[in-house]
Amino acid sequence: MRKVLSYSGAALLSLTIILSGCGSQTSPKNNDQSSDVANPAVQQVIAPVYKRAEIISSPDVAKQLLIDGNSRFVAGKPLSKDLSATRRTDLMKNGQHPFAVIVSCSDSRVPPELLFDQALGDLFVIRVAGNVITPVELGSVEYAVEHLKAPLVVVLGHEECGAVTAAVQGSVAHGNIAAITDKIKPAVDAAKAMGLTGKDLIEKSADINIQNAMKDISGSSIMKEGVESKQVKIIGAKYDQDEGALKLMND
Ligand SMILES: [Zn+2]
């Protein structure tokens, strides 16, 4: 399904290391890359972002980039981002090649591009309250994997999620909000069956809700093809708001 690229494991490893520090190109204290320019891996890393993303076809490399990005976010040391007209034009002319699909809660405190410290063109983000998967969200995931060749899908939930809390409280949801809480309810039922109450019940419900979304994504025939051929991975993550850190749930 995806084109096979001929990078060796060692090259990918070095690429990961280089990519994780590539933003320091713009850092005054670490801008000496002249000795590395002859290295083909470096040449590709310092290429325009659309070419950089094209070579990130490994789910594990993509995951490491997100882990590294979150570490920078937690440390308060995000990379400089190229938001110039030149970069935007590059992406428009050459198309998008995001290396990860993020299905995230809509909560304004959980913005994927910021907490993963990624730039224009890097992430294909689907945001919906409670990070639930319906056919609409699943279609977006399938599009990003099948057509844009993104190798990694992350379901991103978070602690103290309002949508999960509403589903736990079980109060009457007005308008179309019930469509969200109804989708979360099986996770709440499973957590209640464990005898949990209070905050423990809410957080376990959120964890199971992430896992349920991963199962919904895994059930897609398009996703199965990618997962079985190991060209695509689906992982879950939970965001700790005060720490700023992510906990990977199936690693
Ligand atoms: Zn939420």
Side-chain angles (χ1 to χ4, degrees):
M1 182 175 67
R2 295 171 54 79
K3 65 183 174 185
V4 176
L5 297 168
S6 58
Y7 293 96
S8 68
L12 278 174
L13 179 61
S14 64
L15 180 62
T16 305
I17 295 167
I18 294 161
L19 279 170
S20 66
C22 66
S24 56
Q25 293 168 38
T26 53
S27 167
K29 65 181 179 183
N30 188 12
N31 59 359
D32 181 14
Q33 291 195 325
S34 56
S35 60
D36 291 329
V37 167
N39 183 330
V42 172
Q43 289 174 349
Q44 292 175 56
V45 168
I46 63 178
V49 70
Y50 63 89
K51 290 186 179 173
R52 193 187 83 178
E54 275 184 347
I55 61 176
I56 304 169
S57 62
S58 156
D60 291 331
V61 171
K63 184 172 76 173
Q64 191 60 48
L65 289 175
L66 295 182
I67 292 169
D68 292 345
N70 181 243
S71 296
R72 294 191 299 271
F73 174 76
V74 171
K77 295 179 178 175
L79 303 180
S80 298
K81 307 292 187 300
D82 186 350
L83 303 176
S84 67
T86 302
R87 178 56 55 93
R88 297 198 304 270
T89 303
D90 274 348
L91 285 164
M92 190 171 65
K93 278 173 35 186
N94 296 286
Q96 60 170 327
H97 302 276
F99 67 80
V101 184
I102 315 292
V103 181
S104 162
C105 182
S106 300
D107 193 302
S108 60
R109 299 163 295 182
V110 190
E113 287 89 346
L114 294 179
L115 61 91
F116 286 121
D117 190 33
Q118 298 301 322
L120 285 175
D122 284 339
L123 303 181
F124 190 94
V125 178
I126 299 143
R127 299 195 69 173
V128 56
N131 45 271
V132 294
I133 294 290
T134 71
V136 172
E137 287 82 25
L138 186 54
S140 296
V141 174
E142 290 174 344
Y143 172 76
V145 170
E146 184 171 50
H147 293 277
L148 303 180
K149 312 300 181 193
L152 181 69
V153 178
V154 183
V155 177
L156 176 61
H158 64 102
E159 66 170 355
E160 298 186 13
C161 178
V164 172
T165 302
V168 168
Q169 291 170 341
S171 50
V172 177
H174 297 289
N176 293 292
I177 299 171
I180 298 166
T181 51
D182 287 351
K183 185 71 185 170
I184 299 172
K185 189 171 181 300
V188 176
D189 292 342
K192 279 182 178 170
M194 297 175 182
L196 299 171
T197 58
K199 183 170 168 48
D200 290 342
L201 174 60
I202 291 171
E203 296 309 323
K204 179 55 79 175
S205 298
D207 293 350
I208 297 172
N209 186 52
I210 292 169
Q211 290 161 355
N212 286 349
M214 292 167 61
K215 284 180 197 160
D216 287 341
I217 296 169
S218 303
S220 150
S221 57
I222 288 173
M223 297 305 300
K224 276 182 184 165
E225 183 185 338
V227 170
E228 285 170 7
S229 63
K230 301 192 185 306
Q231 291 176 315
V232 178
K233 264 190 184 172
I234 304 165
I235 64 173
K238 193 172 183 190
Y239 176 60
D240 183 314
Q241 292 196 56
D242 49 343
E243 296 287 332
L246 291 159
K247 184 178 88 178
L248 298 183
M249 299 186 65
N250 54 331
D251 216 32

